[in-house]
Amino acid sequence: MFPQVRMRRLRSGKIRDMVRETELSANDLIYPMFVDETIDSTVDVSSMPGVQRLPLDKVVDDAKDAADLGIPALILFGIPEHKDETGTSSYGDEDIVQQAVRAIKEDLGKDMVVMTDVCMCEYTSHGHCGIVNFETEEVLNDPTLDILGKIAVSHAKAGADIVAPSGMMDGMIGAMRTALDEENFKNVPIMSYAAKYSSAFYGPFRDAADSGFQFGDRSEYQMDPANSDEAIREVELDILEGADMVMVKPALPYLDIIYRIKHEFKMPTAAYNVSGEYSMLKAAAEKGWLDENKVMYESLMSIKRAGADMILTYFAKDLARMLK
């Protein structure tokens, strides 16, 4: 007890660094990218300062920039030219994400891990993550699974290193694992958006990915923010179906979920520092209310401290530059 015990003894100079419990590095980061089939030059996302939609011929340069900063992985989201009720532009060999994967892998090879988001919301005319019964306005779970399998296989054929389903359909991991294995992609890992909450923090992403929905919301298939035990059940089921890595989304409002999942399953665990988390810090920094670099670092450190092994964040390049 005080005065013999003085906690401040270990908080000065290099000693502070020596006893630091959590380290944050560029190697923890996954960089989200938006590739847009409908544009010829980069387009700024107004609600996400510093984030852009990229035409296909710019994705390799952006991926190289990330690799040069020491970022080991990126995740691709696609905006197609054609949308329809069943998202047919999501699984063709020449669709936008598939072309982007090939371009990046041909240029960077093993220097960049390429992940792909496997979902239908960017590709459907109604903006929901699966097949819809328009009479009941219900997103149909089981008919969607076959399409998710097709998307995963098409991404693997293009050269994706990891596929990441985000639609929160029951059975999606099992369906994708079966489809991948049947096409001899047994070694392609699945990172499941296993605990994805129905969150208001996704708003700016819908500007970036052009994935707003025509009716209702996604609360019938994404999780209730009030629930914690349900996240454990969701993650356990996905692991049993064959998920190699699991994810919590969003990150900052759900640090307790990240902690529980990491300690319960001891699986490789990712967290998605989502668009709303990013934009609110950017907005406060632009107002001069917060120091952007400091709050960015503190926020991402909290996610790592909670147990995340990997952080998907739009701050990836900014943080990597700062750490350099």
Side-chain angles (χ1 to χ4, degrees):
M1 299 293 291
F2 181 84
Q4 288 80 21
V5 176
R6 293 177 180 266
M7 297 297 287
R8 290 178 57 183
R9 291 179 187 136
L10 303 182
R11 293 177 186 161
S12 62
K14 291 292 183 182
I15 297 174
R16 183 184 181 94
D17 297 337
M18 290 169 62
V19 299
R20 181 169 290 133
E21 298 172 22
T22 306
E23 294 291 338
L24 184 61
S25 76
N27 206 44
D28 301 319
L29 306 176
I30 298 170
Y31 173 52
M33 292 174 58
F34 299 94
V35 56
D36 188 340
E37 193 173 23
T38 70
I39 58 176
D40 297 319
S41 58
T42 56
V43 174
D44 294 333
V45 179
S46 60
S47 58
M48 298 177 69
V51 174
Q52 296 175 317
R53 292 189 192 183
L54 303 170
L56 182 62
D57 62 1
K58 298 293 184 184
V59 294
V60 171
D61 290 341
D62 200 35
K64 282 181 178 177
D65 288 344
D68 290 343
L69 288 166
I71 297 168
L74 60 84
I75 183 166
L76 281 170
F77 298 90
I79 297 98
E81 186 172 8
H82 171 73
K83 299 189 180 198
D84 57 33
E85 292 181 1
T86 57
T88 55
S89 294
S90 60
Y91 51 81
D93 290 341
E94 296 304 318
D95 285 330
I96 188 62
V97 165
Q98 290 79 354
Q99 291 188 63
V101 170
R102 286 197 299 271
I104 294 168
K105 294 306 293 184
E106 285 171 7
D107 202 290
L108 290 174
K110 294 182 179 179
D111 291 336
M112 178 59 72
V113 174
V114 176
M115 300 173 56
T116 55
D117 177 74
V118 178
C119 193
M120 294 174 63
C121 61
E122 294 113 287
Y123 305 92
T124 54
S125 52
H126 47 74
H128 280 285
C129 301
I131 301 297
V132 165
N133 179 330
F134 287 97
E135 290 185 7
T136 61
E137 294 191 345
E138 178 188 2
V139 176
L140 303 175
N141 191 95
D142 295 9
T144 300
L145 299 181
D146 181 57
I147 297 177
L148 295 179
K150 288 181 180 180
I151 298 170
V153 168
S154 72
H155 290 178
K157 283 181 179 178
D161 298 294
I162 300 170
V163 291
S166 61
M168 289 298 286
M169 297 293 118
D170 292 335
M172 66 183 183
I173 303 303
M176 288 174 53
R177 186 73 272 161
T178 298
L180 288 165
D181 290 356
E182 287 178 350
E183 294 294 329
N184 203 29
F185 293 111
K186 295 179 176 64
N187 292 323
V188 173
I190 298 174
M191 175 188 279
S192 176
Y193 289 63
K196 181 178 179 180
Y197 285 84
S198 180
S199 172
F201 283 93
Y202 302 148
F205 174 89
R206 291 169 189 148
D207 293 337
D210 191 23
S211 61
F213 34 82
Q214 286 185 353
F215 60 86
D217 58 27
R218 294 176 179 150
S219 61
E220 289 187 0
Y221 48 99
Q222 295 176 356
M223 286 181 55
D224 184 344
N227 293 355
S228 175
D229 291 342
E230 183 186 0
I232 302 300
R233 293 187 67 197
E234 284 278 10
V235 170
E236 183 176 22
L237 288 168
D238 282 4
I239 292 170
L240 291 172
E241 289 180 26
D244 302 283
M245 296 171 274
V246 295
M247 185 198 301
V248 177
K249 182 181 180 182
L252 292 175
Y254 300 92
L255 295 177
D256 59 318
I257 308 301
I258 298 169
Y259 180 86
R260 284 194 66 184
I261 286 170
K262 184 60 181 178
H263 282 260
E264 179 83 16
F265 299 106
K266 297 177 173 59
M267 286 277 291
T269 302
Y272 203 137
N273 178 227
V274 301
S275 59
E277 299 170 56
Y278 171 87
S279 293
M280 68 182 182
L281 294 188
K282 282 284 187 178
E286 285 184 357
K287 288 281 191 180
W289 295 340
L290 293 173
D291 182 308
E292 182 176 329
N293 281 347
K294 288 182 178 179
V295 294
M296 169 185 68
Y297 182 80
E298 186 176 342
S299 298
L300 297 178
M301 178 65 80
S302 76
I303 298 168
K304 183 79 184 293
R305 191 183 65 243
D309 303 293
M310 299 155 277
I311 304 172
L312 295 81
T313 178
Y314 305 100
F315 282 120
K317 283 187 174 182
D318 293 340
L319 180 67
R321 289 189 191 98
M322 191 182 84
L323 294 174
K324 270 199 168 186

